[in-house]
Amino acid sequence: MAFSCTPRGFSCLSKISVLFIRPETRRYTRSLHRNPLNILTSEEARKSSRKPSLVYHDSISDAANKQVQQTTHKNIRVEHTSLKITKYEQVDDSTVSTKNPRSALSSHLSSNPKKTAITSTTKKVPKSGRMTVYSNGEELEVDIVAEKLVAERTLSSLIQNVKSTKARQASGKILLEGERLISDAMCAGVHAEAIFFSNIKLLTTLPLKSHTSTKLYQVNQAKIQLWSDLITSPGIMGVFDVSNLQNSSFNEDIPLTIICDNVRDPGNMGTLIRCAAAAGCKMLVTTPDCVDVWDSKVLRAASGAHFRTKLSLNVDWDLIAGNFVTQDDTVLLADSCVQEISTTSHLVDGKNTLGSQLSWLEREHSAKAKSVEILVNGNALLRDSSYLDEKNLRIYKNLPLPHCAYDKLNLDAASITLVIGGETHGLSSAAHKLAHDHGGLKVFIPLANEVNSLNAGVAMGILVYEVRRLFLQKKKTTSETQKT
């Protein structure tokens, strides 16, 4: 028996499968599935059409007509008087052809006046140009580059100069992520080369008024997440130039210099910088063996303290002795290995007998090791090559030093230099030589319950605030004495 399928005016063949249907035709095809198909006999199919239509022939009952079906399969053109188009504008039946179902359906969709009206009224947002944003509660007109290709290429090219330690040292640029870090850097006067953001609302907390030369790029959130070190990126990052970083907005409360020696944990380094800024220290110095202070983990641990204290980074030991520590300074070594509480209080005036003798011997034998280097800008640097002699440095590490608990210090010095070592490698031999040269001593924190050591950041917090308390107390006593 032969039958024909006539869904809304289309006579379809079972051997013809519509493989490619555009997304805009899905709604039309779904409506066909909602209405069941009428299965007609060959006689009923001929009566329902003005022209004889091609019908399906059963291979068993009409095997003789199989050749006719194959010849007419190439050109199929069926017209129906019962074709009614309700959703779309009615077209002439002669234009409907089942030879190419994709073109037949697209002809109906193209004649939809509603879709044409929607497309014509859609407004395109400008990709780049001058826009008005709110910055710290004020309206400000800024130039924003929102072209996807340009913004993403700029982000990719600048990221290459800040992702590794070697690249940061060569270019002098760092990457800051998050509104707080970027705002702190801009408020401190650090030049922002470019800022990339996903939402314009992220610019409201930034002091853009004082950074008019900063270029702004709007980038997709997924692209920012690709370069982010965080699990979920805040959606804003900036590239800053710290080659000529000037920390002029911090207050020096106490004459205390912190030297970080072999501190290689990013979390500890960030905590040390944060503590130094909070206590109002004079300066924080790092040696070449320390972790990069501009590492993303250090930046997050410091929470913007990089821009609130004076930093001297990657300073060799032969420069530290003559340029960052004066002869009047007292050097304190934070050492967790000493647990014996001293019975007498050591005066922290920098001049115990053993330290003075070793310092005299060092000056006599290493006078030739000291030199003066004149820089291009006219500044002079003092170098002491004896701090680079590993053979002699081992001797100083084994020499004994006076020691006392942190709460038994008697402060009688104009300024103090505190050396903090890493938890794994501890203090270097050069740090011990520095303490011997300046008549210093070891300071420890008593521990209980068989605890071997404290976290470097925790230990520094205890020592620094004890020294701060002593300095402020001394200052108060001096002021009261002067009044009387």
Side-chain angles (χ1 to χ4, degrees), residues 106-322:
S106 62
S107 63
H108 291 288
L109 297 176
S110 61
S111 61
N112 185 9
K114 294 182 180 180
K115 185 175 180 179
T116 305
I118 294 174
T119 305
S120 61
T121 56
T122 303
K123 295 182 180 180
K124 293 184 178 180
V125 180
K127 294 184 178 181
S128 301
R130 198 163 185 83
M131 301 182 186
T132 302
V133 298
Y134 287 91
S135 176
N136 290 334
E138 299 180 4
E139 288 189 1
L140 184 66
E141 290 188 356
V142 295
D143 292 327
I144 297 178
V145 178
E147 295 182 7
K148 182 179 179 181
L149 187 59
V150 176
E152 291 183 356
R153 284 183 176 178
T154 306
L155 174 61
S156 301
S157 61
L158 292 179
I159 286 293
Q160 304 301 326
N161 298 326
V162 297
K163 291 301 289 184
S164 64
T165 302
K166 291 184 179 180
R168 285 192 293 267
Q169 294 176 353
S171 62
K173 296 179 177 58
I174 62 171
L175 178 68
L176 300 181
E177 191 169 4
E179 296 178 68
R180 181 176 179 179
L181 281 178
I182 294 176
S183 179
D184 290 342
M186 297 177 74
C187 291
V190 185
H191 173 64
E193 184 172 340
I195 294 178
F196 304 89
F197 61 94
S198 60
N199 193 335
I200 199 170
K201 294 181 180 179
L202 298 172
L203 302 177
T204 55
T205 59
L206 305 184
L208 298 176
K209 189 174 182 179
S210 57
H211 293 264
T212 55
S213 61
T214 301
K215 297 180 180 179
L216 305 176
Y217 297 89
Q218 189 167 10
V219 187
N220 188 274
Q221 174 69 23
K223 193 66 175 181
I224 295 180
Q225 182 65 55
L226 179 65
W227 295 106
S228 175
D229 293 328
L230 304 176
I231 298 176
T232 302
S233 173
I236 182 171
M237 56 177 55
V239 178
F240 289 78
D241 187 3
V242 293
S243 56
N244 296 318
L245 181 62
Q246 300 293 333
N247 302 96
S248 58
S249 60
F250 71 95
N251 296 323
E252 178 186 338
D253 293 339
I254 55 177
L256 175 62
T257 300
I258 306 296
I259 298 179
C260 299
D261 184 23
N262 286 327
V263 179
R264 302 182 182 181
D265 183 78
N268 285 338
M269 178 59 74
T271 305
L272 297 180
I273 297 174
R274 192 174 184 177
C275 183
C281 295
K282 178 181 178 181
M283 183 188 303
L284 186 139
V285 183
T286 64
T287 60
D289 294 330
C290 292
V291 66
D292 183 17
V293 299
W294 300 116
D295 183 79
S296 59
K297 294 181 180 179
V298 179
L299 289 168
R300 291 196 298 272
S303 298
H306 289 73
F307 313 107
R308 293 185 172 91
T309 187
K310 187 175 182 181
L311 301 176
S312 296
L313 309 177
N314 300 324
V315 183
D316 294 324
W317 277 104
D318 60 336
L319 295 175
I320 291 178

Side-chain angles (χ1 to χ4, degrees), residues 24 28 42 91 116 148 237 242 252 292 295 325 345 425 460:
E24 59 264 22
Y28 181 75
S42 59
V91 296
T116 305
K148 182 179 179 181
M237 56 177 55
V242 293
E252 178 186 338
D292 183 17
D295 183 79
V325 182
S345 299
H425 299 85
M460 177 184 169

Side-chain angles (χ1 to χ4, degrees), residues 28-45:
Y28 181 75
T29 55
R30 287 172 183 170
S31 63
L32 300 182
H33 290 285
R34 297 191 191 102
N35 300 324
L37 302 178
N38 297 325
I39 301 177
L40 306 177
T41 62
S42 59
E43 294 295 334
E44 292 175 344

Side-chain angles (χ1 to χ4, degrees), residues 412-430:
D412 191 19
S415 58
I416 289 180
T417 298
L418 177 62
V419 185
I420 302 291
E423 297 181 23
T424 304
H425 299 85
L427 296 169
S428 63
S429 301

